[in-house]
mmCIF file of all heavy atoms in Angstrom:
data_model
loop_
_atom_site.group_PDB
_atom_site.id
_atom_site.type_symbol
_atom_site.label_atom_id
_atom_site.label_comp_id
_atom_site.label_asym_id
_atom_site.label_seq_id
_atom_site.Cartn_x
_atom_site.Cartn_y
_atom_site.Cartn_z
ATOM 1 N N THR A 30 109.794 118.765 99.165
ATOM 2 C CA THR A 30 109.803 118.990 97.730
ATOM 3 C C THR A 30 110.135 117.709 96.986
ATOM 4 O O THR A 30 110.440 116.670 97.578
ATOM 5 C CB THR A 30 110.822 120.065 97.336
ATOM 6 O OG1 THR A 30 112.149 119.542 97.467
ATOM 7 C CG2 THR A 30 110.685 121.309 98.195
ATOM 8 N N SER A 31 110.098 117.798 95.650
ATOM 9 C CA SER A 31 110.381 116.643 94.807
ATOM 10 C C SER A 31 111.796 116.108 94.987
ATOM 11 O O SER A 31 112.049 114.937 94.700
ATOM 12 C CB SER A 31 110.145 116.993 93.338
ATOM 13 O OG SER A 31 111.011 118.034 92.924
ATOM 14 N N VAL A 32 112.712 116.968 95.461
ATOM 15 C CA VAL A 32 114.096 116.542 95.657
ATOM 16 C C VAL A 32 114.462 116.414 97.130
ATOM 17 O O VAL A 32 115.636 116.302 97.471
ATOM 18 C CB VAL A 32 115.078 117.482 94.936
ATOM 19 C CG1 VAL A 32 114.885 117.395 93.441
ATOM 20 C CG2 VAL A 32 114.929 118.915 95.416
ATOM 21 N N GLY A 33 113.459 116.431 98.013
ATOM 22 C CA GLY A 33 113.700 116.102 99.402
ATOM 23 C C GLY A 33 113.951 117.257 100.348
ATOM 24 O O GLY A 33 114.270 117.015 101.521
ATOM 25 N N ARG A 34 113.828 118.503 99.895
ATOM 26 C CA ARG A 34 113.970 119.637 100.805
ATOM 27 C C ARG A 34 112.720 119.763 101.666
ATOM 28 O O ARG A 34 111.607 119.611 101.182
ATOM 29 C CB ARG A 34 114.212 120.932 100.032
ATOM 30 C CG ARG A 34 115.498 120.921 99.226
ATOM 31 C CD ARG A 34 115.781 122.274 98.605
ATOM 32 N NE ARG A 34 117.003 122.253 97.803
ATOM 33 C CZ ARG A 34 117.053 122.008 96.510
ATOM 34 N NH1 ARG A 34 115.927 121.779 95.827
ATOM 35 N NH2 ARG A 34 118.208 121.998 95.874
ATOM 36 N N THR A 35 112.900 120.072 102.953
ATOM 37 C CA THR A 35 111.795 120.078 103.901
ATOM 38 C C THR A 35 111.598 121.429 104.568
ATOM 39 O O THR A 35 112.542 122.204 104.734
ATOM 40 C CB THR A 35 112.014 119.023 104.994
ATOM 41 O OG1 THR A 35 113.245 119.287 105.672
ATOM 42 C CG2 THR A 35 112.053 117.627 104.396
ATOM 43 N N ILE A 36 110.353 121.690 104.950
ATOM 44 C CA ILE A 36 109.966 122.848 105.744
ATOM 45 C C ILE A 36 109.017 122.353 106.823
ATOM 46 O O ILE A 36 108.137 121.532 106.554
ATOM 47 C CB ILE A 36 109.285 123.927 104.885
ATOM 48 C CG1 ILE A 36 110.277 124.553 103.911
ATOM 49 C CG2 ILE A 36 108.664 125.013 105.760
ATOM 50 C CD1 ILE A 36 109.636 125.534 102.946
ATOM 51 N N TYR A 37 109.179 122.869 108.054
ATOM 52 C CA TYR A 37 108.333 122.490 109.171
ATOM 53 C C TYR A 37 107.723 123.715 109.823
ATOM 54 O O TYR A 37 108.356 124.767 109.915
ATOM 55 C CB TYR A 37 109.133 121.729 110.233
ATOM 56 C CG TYR A 37 109.667 120.407 109.762
ATOM 57 C CD1 TYR A 37 110.938 120.305 109.200
ATOM 58 C CD2 TYR A 37 108.901 119.251 109.876
ATOM 59 C CE1 TYR A 37 111.421 119.084 108.760
ATOM 60 C CE2 TYR A 37 109.382 118.030 109.440
ATOM 61 C CZ TYR A 37 110.643 117.954 108.882
ATOM 62 O OH TYR A 37 111.125 116.737 108.448
ATOM 63 N N ALA A 38 106.495 123.577 110.295
ATOM 64 C CA ALA A 38 105.915 124.585 111.161
ATOM 65 C C ALA A 38 106.720 124.652 112.450
ATOM 66 O O ALA A 38 107.312 123.652 112.881
ATOM 67 C CB ALA A 38 104.464 124.248 111.471
ATOM 68 N N ASP A 39 106.742 125.833 113.082
ATOM 69 C CA ASP A 39 107.481 125.973 114.335
ATOM 70 C C ASP A 39 107.031 124.948 115.369
ATOM 71 O O ASP A 39 107.847 124.427 116.135
ATOM 72 C CB ASP A 39 107.317 127.382 114.890
ATOM 73 C CG ASP A 39 108.096 128.424 114.113
ATOM 74 O OD1 ASP A 39 109.005 128.055 113.345
ATOM 75 O OD2 ASP A 39 107.800 129.620 114.279
ATOM 76 N N SER A 40 105.742 124.651 115.405
ATOM 77 C CA SER A 40 105.205 123.715 116.378
ATOM 78 C C SER A 40 105.686 122.282 116.155
ATOM 79 O O SER A 40 105.628 121.465 117.070
ATOM 80 C CB SER A 40 103.674 123.749 116.347
ATOM 81 O OG SER A 40 103.187 123.376 115.074
ATOM 82 N N ALA A 41 106.155 121.978 114.940
ATOM 83 C CA ALA A 41 106.575 120.628 114.594
ATOM 84 C C ALA A 41 108.081 120.426 114.641
ATOM 85 O O ALA A 41 108.547 119.284 114.720
ATOM 86 C CB ALA A 41 106.074 120.267 113.194
ATOM 87 N N LYS A 42 108.842 121.491 114.588
ATOM 88 C CA LYS A 42 110.295 121.396 114.523
ATOM 89 C C LYS A 42 110.859 120.642 115.720
ATOM 90 O O LYS A 42 110.489 120.898 116.859
ATOM 91 C CB LYS A 42 110.925 122.790 114.457
ATOM 92 C CG LYS A 42 110.706 123.501 113.144
ATOM 93 C CD LYS A 42 111.279 124.907 113.171
ATOM 94 C CE LYS A 42 111.014 125.631 111.865
ATOM 95 N NZ LYS A 42 111.463 127.044 111.908
ATOM 96 N N GLY A 43 111.741 119.695 115.431
ATOM 97 C CA GLY A 43 112.374 118.914 116.480
ATOM 98 C C GLY A 43 111.581 117.728 116.949
ATOM 99 O O GLY A 43 112.107 116.897 117.699
ATOM 100 N N ARG A 44 110.313 117.612 116.531
ATOM 101 C CA ARG A 44 109.453 116.508 116.959
ATOM 102 C C ARG A 44 108.943 115.662 115.797
ATOM 103 O O ARG A 44 108.764 114.460 115.946
ATOM 104 C CB ARG A 44 108.256 117.027 117.747
ATOM 105 C CG ARG A 44 108.615 117.795 119.009
ATOM 106 C CD ARG A 44 107.372 118.087 119.834
ATOM 107 N NE ARG A 44 106.420 118.920 119.092
ATOM 108 C CZ ARG A 44 105.136 118.611 118.912
ATOM 109 N NH1 ARG A 44 104.636 117.495 119.419
ATOM 110 N NH2 ARG A 44 104.343 119.438 118.235
ATOM 111 N N PHE A 45 108.693 116.294 114.644
ATOM 112 C CA PHE A 45 108.109 115.608 113.490
ATOM 113 C C PHE A 45 109.136 115.516 112.362
ATOM 114 O O PHE A 45 109.981 116.407 112.203
ATOM 115 C CB PHE A 45 106.890 116.358 112.960
ATOM 116 C CG PHE A 45 105.708 116.423 113.890
ATOM 117 C CD1 PHE A 45 105.732 115.864 115.156
ATOM 118 C CD2 PHE A 45 104.545 117.055 113.474
ATOM 119 C CE1 PHE A 45 104.640 115.929 116.004
ATOM 120 C CE2 PHE A 45 103.442 117.125 114.305
ATOM 121 C CZ PHE A 45 103.488 116.562 115.570
ATOM 122 N N THR A 46 109.025 114.460 111.554
ATOM 123 C CA THR A 46 109.870 114.278 110.383
ATOM 124 C C THR A 46 109.025 113.846 109.196
ATOM 125 O O THR A 46 108.287 112.861 109.289
ATOM 126 C CB THR A 46 110.967 113.229 110.630
ATOM 127 O OG1 THR A 46 111.753 113.600 111.767
ATOM 128 C CG2 THR A 46 111.874 113.115 109.408
ATOM 129 N N ILE A 47 109.122 114.581 108.083
ATOM 130 C CA ILE A 47 108.417 114.221 106.863
ATOM 131 C C ILE A 47 109.399 113.550 105.904
ATOM 132 O O ILE A 47 110.566 113.933 105.827
ATOM 133 C CB ILE A 47 107.754 115.453 106.204
ATOM 134 C CG1 ILE A 47 106.833 115.038 105.055
ATOM 135 C CG2 ILE A 47 108.793 116.467 105.751
ATOM 136 C CD1 ILE A 47 105.969 116.176 104.523
ATOM 137 N N SER A 48 108.922 112.541 105.175
ATOM 138 C CA SER A 48 109.758 111.845 104.208
ATOM 139 C C SER A 48 108.891 111.351 103.060
ATOM 140 O O SER A 48 107.676 111.212 103.203
ATOM 141 C CB SER A 48 110.509 110.683 104.857
ATOM 142 O OG SER A 48 109.604 109.739 105.412
ATOM 143 N N ARG A 49 109.527 111.085 101.918
ATOM 144 C CA ARG A 49 108.785 110.586 100.762
ATOM 145 C C ARG A 49 109.562 109.483 100.072
ATOM 146 O O ARG A 49 110.795 109.415 100.148
ATOM 147 C CB ARG A 49 108.486 111.719 99.767
ATOM 148 C CG ARG A 49 109.708 112.264 99.034
ATOM 149 C CD ARG A 49 109.356 113.536 98.258
ATOM 150 N NE ARG A 49 108.393 113.279 97.196
ATOM 151 C CZ ARG A 49 107.634 114.221 96.626
ATOM 152 N NH1 ARG A 49 107.722 115.481 97.028
ATOM 153 N NH2 ARG A 49 106.788 113.889 95.657
ATOM 154 N N ASP A 50 108.820 108.608 99.392
ATOM 155 C CA ASP A 50 109.395 107.543 98.592
ATOM 156 C C ASP A 50 108.773 107.655 97.210
ATOM 157 O O ASP A 50 107.628 107.242 96.996
ATOM 158 C CB ASP A 50 109.116 106.178 99.213
ATOM 159 C CG ASP A 50 109.821 105.044 98.497
ATOM 160 O OD1 ASP A 50 110.135 105.185 97.300
ATOM 161 O OD2 ASP A 50 110.060 104.004 99.137
ATOM 162 N N ASN A 51 109.504 108.240 96.267
ATOM 163 C CA ASN A 51 108.959 108.476 94.933
ATOM 164 C C ASN A 51 108.719 107.180 94.157
ATOM 165 O O ASN A 51 107.869 107.150 93.260
ATOM 166 C CB ASN A 51 109.884 109.400 94.142
ATOM 167 C CG ASN A 51 109.818 110.839 94.619
ATOM 168 O OD1 ASN A 51 108.864 111.242 95.283
ATOM 169 N ND2 ASN A 51 110.834 111.618 94.279
ATOM 170 N N ALA A 52 109.445 106.126 94.485
ATOM 171 C CA ALA A 52 109.235 104.844 93.829
ATOM 172 C C ALA A 52 107.908 104.213 94.233
ATOM 173 O O ALA A 52 107.308 103.469 93.457
ATOM 174 C CB ALA A 52 110.387 103.891 94.127
ATOM 175 N N LYS A 53 107.451 104.499 95.454
ATOM 176 C CA LYS A 53 106.203 103.942 95.966
ATOM 177 C C LYS A 53 105.044 104.927 95.971
ATOM 178 O O LYS A 53 103.921 104.558 96.324
ATOM 179 C CB LYS A 53 106.412 103.419 97.390
ATOM 180 C CG LYS A 53 107.403 102.282 97.496
ATOM 181 C CD LYS A 53 107.541 101.823 98.942
ATOM 182 C CE LYS A 53 108.502 100.664 99.060
ATOM 183 N NZ LYS A 53 108.659 100.219 100.471
ATOM 184 N N ASN A 54 105.302 106.181 95.595
ATOM 185 C CA ASN A 54 104.278 107.237 95.626
ATOM 186 C C ASN A 54 103.676 107.394 97.022
ATOM 187 O O ASN A 54 102.450 107.444 97.197
ATOM 188 C CB ASN A 54 103.170 106.965 94.609
ATOM 189 C CG ASN A 54 103.598 107.222 93.179
ATOM 190 O OD1 ASN A 54 104.764 107.460 92.885
ATOM 191 N ND2 ASN A 54 102.639 107.178 92.267
ATOM 192 N N THR A 55 104.539 107.481 98.029
ATOM 193 C CA THR A 55 104.086 107.653 99.404
ATOM 194 C C THR A 55 104.831 108.790 100.087
ATOM 195 O O THR A 55 105.967 109.102 99.742
ATOM 196 C CB THR A 55 104.272 106.381 100.243
ATOM 197 O OG1 THR A 55 105.651 106.001 100.254
ATOM 198 C CG2 THR A 55 103.426 105.244 99.698
ATOM 199 N N VAL A 56 104.168 109.401 101.071
ATOM 200 C CA VAL A 56 104.785 110.404 101.925
ATOM 201 C C VAL A 56 104.346 110.121 103.357
ATOM 202 O O VAL A 56 103.163 109.898 103.615
ATOM 203 C CB VAL A 56 104.429 111.839 101.479
ATOM 204 C CG1 VAL A 56 102.923 112.055 101.442
ATOM 205 C CG2 VAL A 56 105.096 112.866 102.379
ATOM 206 N N ASP A 57 105.309 110.106 104.280
ATOM 207 C CA ASP A 57 105.056 109.759 105.671
ATOM 208 C C ASP A 57 105.337 110.940 106.587
ATOM 209 O O ASP A 57 106.094 111.850 106.251
ATOM 210 C CB ASP A 57 105.934 108.595 106.105
ATOM 211 C CG ASP A 57 105.562 107.279 105.457
ATOM 212 O OD1 ASP A 57 104.579 107.232 104.689
ATOM 213 O OD2 ASP A 57 106.265 106.283 105.721
ATOM 214 N N LEU A 58 104.728 110.907 107.762
ATOM 215 C CA LEU A 58 104.994 111.890 108.809
ATOM 216 C C LEU A 58 105.206 111.146 110.115
ATOM 217 O O LEU A 58 104.263 110.569 110.660
ATOM 218 C CB LEU A 58 103.841 112.883 108.948
ATOM 219 C CG LEU A 58 104.061 114.014 109.949
ATOM 220 C CD1 LEU A 58 105.128 114.981 109.439
ATOM 221 C CD2 LEU A 58 102.758 114.762 110.225
ATOM 222 N N GLN A 59 106.446 111.132 110.602
ATOM 223 C CA GLN A 59 106.768 110.548 111.893
ATOM 224 C C GLN A 59 106.582 111.612 112.960
ATOM 225 O O GLN A 59 107.199 112.674 112.890
ATOM 226 C CB GLN A 59 108.203 110.030 111.908
ATOM 227 C CG GLN A 59 108.646 109.453 113.248
ATOM 228 C CD GLN A 59 107.910 108.198 113.627
ATOM 229 O OE1 GLN A 59 107.747 107.301 112.807
ATOM 230 N NE2 GLN A 59 107.449 108.122 114.862
ATOM 231 N N MET A 60 105.743 111.335 113.955
ATOM 232 C CA MET A 60 105.423 112.299 115.000
ATOM 233 C C MET A 60 105.844 111.726 116.349
ATOM 234 O O MET A 60 105.340 110.680 116.768
ATOM 235 C CB MET A 60 103.931 112.623 115.006
ATOM 236 C CG MET A 60 103.409 113.117 113.664
ATOM 237 S SD MET A 60 101.697 113.714 113.755
ATOM 238 C CE MET A 60 100.857 112.187 114.154
ATOM 239 N N ASN A 61 106.749 112.419 117.029
ATOM 240 C CA ASN A 61 107.241 112.016 118.336
ATOM 241 C C ASN A 61 106.912 113.081 119.372
ATOM 242 O O ASN A 61 106.604 114.221 119.036
ATOM 243 C CB ASN A 61 108.751 111.784 118.295
ATOM 244 C CG ASN A 61 109.165 110.700 117.340
ATOM 245 O OD1 ASN A 61 108.478 109.706 117.164
ATOM 246 N ND2 ASN A 61 110.335 110.887 116.713
ATOM 247 N N SER A 62 107.013 112.708 120.645
ATOM 248 C CA SER A 62 106.774 113.640 121.751
ATOM 249 C C SER A 62 105.465 114.395 121.583
ATOM 250 O O SER A 62 105.410 115.619 121.719
ATOM 251 C CB SER A 62 107.950 114.616 121.874
ATOM 252 O OG SER A 62 109.165 113.927 122.079
ATOM 253 N N LEU A 63 104.406 113.663 121.312
ATOM 254 C CA LEU A 63 103.121 114.280 120.993
ATOM 255 C C LEU A 63 102.533 115.015 122.189
ATOM 256 O O LEU A 63 102.692 114.600 123.340
ATOM 257 C CB LEU A 63 102.151 113.230 120.480
ATOM 258 C CG LEU A 63 102.425 112.794 119.039
ATOM 259 C CD1 LEU A 63 101.749 111.468 118.739
ATOM 260 C CD2 LEU A 63 101.940 113.870 118.063
ATOM 261 N N LYS A 64 101.851 116.115 121.879
ATOM 262 C CA LYS A 64 101.224 116.990 122.859
ATOM 263 C C LYS A 64 99.726 117.071 122.587
ATOM 264 O O LYS A 64 99.288 116.839 121.462
ATOM 265 C CB LYS A 64 101.822 118.398 122.775
ATOM 266 C CG LYS A 64 103.330 118.472 122.897
ATOM 267 C CD LYS A 64 103.813 119.898 122.627
ATOM 268 C CE LYS A 64 105.312 119.998 122.728
ATOM 269 N NZ LYS A 64 105.784 121.381 122.438
ATOM 270 N N PRO A 65 98.923 117.444 123.597
ATOM 271 C CA PRO A 65 97.488 117.619 123.345
ATOM 272 C C PRO A 65 97.189 118.604 122.215
ATOM 273 O O PRO A 65 96.198 118.430 121.499
ATOM 274 C CB PRO A 65 96.960 118.145 124.690
ATOM 275 C CG PRO A 65 97.893 117.565 125.696
ATOM 276 C CD PRO A 65 99.247 117.583 125.030
ATOM 277 N N GLU A 66 98.032 119.615 122.041
ATOM 278 C CA GLU A 66 97.851 120.602 120.985
ATOM 279 C C GLU A 66 97.995 120.014 119.585
ATOM 280 O O GLU A 66 97.630 120.665 118.606
ATOM 281 C CB GLU A 66 98.851 121.753 121.138
ATOM 282 C CG GLU A 66 98.851 122.398 122.515
ATOM 283 C CD GLU A 66 99.893 121.791 123.432
ATOM 284 O OE1 GLU A 66 99.559 120.784 124.104
ATOM 285 O OE2 GLU A 66 101.024 122.312 123.488
ATOM 286 N N ASP A 67 98.531 118.795 119.472
ATOM 287 C CA ASP A 67 98.648 118.123 118.184
ATOM 288 C C ASP A 67 97.352 117.445 117.758
ATOM 289 O O ASP A 67 97.265 116.938 116.631
ATOM 290 C CB ASP A 67 99.767 117.081 118.225
ATOM 291 C CG ASP A 67 101.136 117.694 118.471
ATOM 292 O OD1 ASP A 67 101.448 118.740 117.873
ATOM 293 O OD2 ASP A 67 101.903 117.114 119.263
ATOM 294 N N THR A 68 96.366 117.401 118.630
ATOM 295 C CA THR A 68 95.089 116.764 118.314
ATOM 296 C C THR A 68 94.412 117.481 117.149
ATOM 297 O O THR A 68 94.161 118.687 117.205
ATOM 298 C CB THR A 68 94.171 116.760 119.534
ATOM 299 O OG1 THR A 68 94.753 115.959 120.567
ATOM 300 C CG2 THR A 68 92.805 116.199 119.184
ATOM 301 N N ALA A 69 94.115 116.734 116.076
ATOM 302 C CA ALA A 69 93.537 117.307 114.863
ATOM 303 C C ALA A 69 93.300 116.196 113.856
ATOM 304 O O ALA A 69 93.738 115.058 114.050
ATOM 305 C CB ALA A 69 94.472 118.358 114.256
ATOM 306 N N VAL A 70 92.626 116.538 112.765
ATOM 307 C CA VAL A 70 92.585 115.679 111.593
ATOM 308 C C VAL A 70 93.760 116.065 110.706
ATOM 309 O O VAL A 70 93.948 117.249 110.397
ATOM 310 C CB VAL A 70 91.267 115.812 110.818
ATOM 311 C CG1 VAL A 70 91.290 114.947 109.563
ATOM 312 C CG2 VAL A 70 90.098 115.417 111.705
ATOM 313 N N TYR A 71 94.548 115.081 110.303
ATOM 314 C CA TYR A 71 95.732 115.310 109.493
ATOM 315 C C TYR A 71 95.463 114.910 108.046
ATOM 316 O O TYR A 71 94.946 113.820 107.783
ATOM 317 C CB TYR A 71 96.915 114.520 110.046
ATOM 318 C CG TYR A 71 97.507 115.141 111.297
ATOM 319 C CD1 TYR A 71 96.798 115.139 112.491
ATOM 320 C CD2 TYR A 71 98.760 115.748 111.274
ATOM 321 C CE1 TYR A 71 97.317 115.729 113.629
ATOM 322 C CE2 TYR A 71 99.296 116.335 112.410
ATOM 323 C CZ TYR A 71 98.568 116.324 113.582
ATOM 324 O OH TYR A 71 99.096 116.908 114.716
#
């Protein structure tokens, strides 16, 4: 959200982290411990 509250899909919990920088107008997704099931267009 605009104030930094996060929600994750069950498949992403514990492995992925979303973050945003409002000064730069960017949002990132750090993905760790990747699995074949993560294969997709993001």
Side-chain angles (χ1 to χ4, degrees):
T30 72
S31 62
V32 295
R34 298 187 181 92
T35 58
I36 292 175
Y37 295 92
D39 287 343
S40 61
K42 289 177 182 175
R44 300 189 299 127
F45 295 1
T46 303
I47 189 170
S48 60
R49 69 190 296 160
D50 186 335
N51 287 341
K53 297 180 179 179
N54 286 8
T55 59
V56 57
D57 291 358
L58 184 69
Q59 177 66 46
M60 305 188 295
N61 299 325
S62 302
L63 284 162
K64 306 173 181 179
E66 307 94 272
D67 297 317
T68 296
V70 177
Y71 284 69

